[in-house]
Amino acid sequence: MERTEAKPTRRKLIDSARKLFLERGYEGVSIRDVTEAAGANVASINYHFGGKENLYREVFRELLTARVSDILGRLDAVISEKSPPDLGKVFRTYLEGLLGEFLVSGEAQNFAKLVSNEMSENGLASEILVREAAVPIHRVLKGAILAARPDIADIKASLIIASIFGQMFHFVRARHVIEHTMARSYDEEFVRVIMDHIVEFSLKGMGERP
């Protein structure tokens, strides 16, 4: 009976924490905030997770792996369509899976802020970001690049991937500045223009025709 009751409580804590961490970030949320939202007692977080930090790590992992699984599935489908793979289509699929969502979904925009914090080696869940997102996505993209361009060195392929990610994340984090300097809102058309630009810029940097 005790184990049956523990599962719903744990789930409620994760769901409540997810909403609060996305809205306020890790530092802006207290244990009491989470337990009150979940209708649980203060001791429940220590009981189920061993503390607020481990609860945050679990929330971050769930948010991350759902997106990564979707992106890897899309990339695998596109890469298997053609041999060698169409890099323009591969890059576009990667951008649509991350950038497209980050720019149009309010929850995804808030999650992007958490990801930005975890990109530091001191992040609370930085090793989760590396192990469960950066490494597997990098592996798939690198395989596609080397299959399409066997003349490119391994390090060059990795740098291309890092460059694409850097461009993408700039448009996410600098959204407020870009909207004001370019006098453009991030509507569907502008998001498409941004993705077209990153794909074209990246392909030309490789000596490819967009």
Side-chain angles (χ1 to χ4, degrees):
M1 185 67 161
E2 183 179 340
R3 293 176 64 186
T4 302
E5 292 175 351
K7 291 180 181 178
T9 300
R10 188 178 191 279
R11 188 69 252 168
K12 287 178 183 177
L13 289 169
I14 291 174
D15 291 342
S16 297
R18 169 184 174 137
K19 183 175 185 296
L20 291 168
F21 285 139
L22 284 171
E23 290 176 351
R24 308 181 196 171
Y26 178 79
E27 297 295 339
V29 177
S30 69
I31 288 176
R32 188 171 294 278
D33 290 334
V34 176
T35 54
E36 286 183 354
N41 62 60
V42 174
S44 61
I45 288 182
N46 278 330
Y47 175 77
H48 289 284
F49 303 98
K52 174 186 164 185
E53 182 175 324
N54 285 337
L55 170 60
Y56 169 79
R57 287 164 56 84
E58 180 61 21
V59 168
F60 184 83
R61 187 191 64 76
E62 282 197 7
L63 287 165
L64 185 70
T65 54
R67 288 171 169 82
V68 171
S69 177
D70 177 64
I71 291 167
L72 290 176
R74 295 191 200 186
L75 286 172
D76 285 342
V78 169
I79 291 169
S80 64
E81 284 179 359
K82 184 180 178 183
S83 182
D86 180 336
L87 290 183
K89 198 167 184 180
V90 170
F91 294 164
R92 180 76 186 213
T93 299
Y94 172 54
L95 291 170
E96 287 175 347
L98 278 181
L99 183 63
E101 186 190 13
F102 280 162
L103 296 184
V104 300
S105 164
E107 178 181 295
Q109 288 172 38
N110 288 337
F111 180 57
K113 295 176 184 177
L114 298 184
V115 170
S116 180
N117 293 334
E118 297 308 327
M119 288 171 67
S120 162
E121 63 179 358
N122 297 320
L124 296 175
S126 59
E127 84 283 3
I128 295 174
L129 178 64
V130 171
R131 182 182 67 248
E132 301 194 24
V135 170
I137 291 175
H138 182 92
R139 185 184 300 118
V140 170
L141 290 174
K142 186 175 180 180
I145 292 172
L146 295 178
R149 290 287 304 275
D151 58 305
I152 291 180
D154 277 20
I155 185 64
K156 180 69 173 179
S158 293
L159 289 172
I160 290 167
I161 297 165
S163 174
I164 294 172
F165 180 82
Q167 293 176 74
M168 176 187 70
F169 218 69
H170 171 72
F171 282 103
V172 174
R173 295 294 287 138
R175 176 173 182 156
H176 176 73
V177 174
I178 291 170
E179 284 184 328
H180 283 78
T181 54
M182 298 185 67
R184 288 288 303 267
S185 63
Y186 273 42
D187 55 22
E188 185 176 337
E189 180 186 358
F190 189 43
V191 171
R192 179 186 58 76
V193 169
I194 290 171
M195 289 192 285
D196 287 346
H197 165 74
I198 295 175
V199 171
E200 179 181 0
F201 188 85
S202 301
L203 290 175
K204 284 185 175 179
M206 297 173 60
E208 293 274 320
R209 180 178 296 177

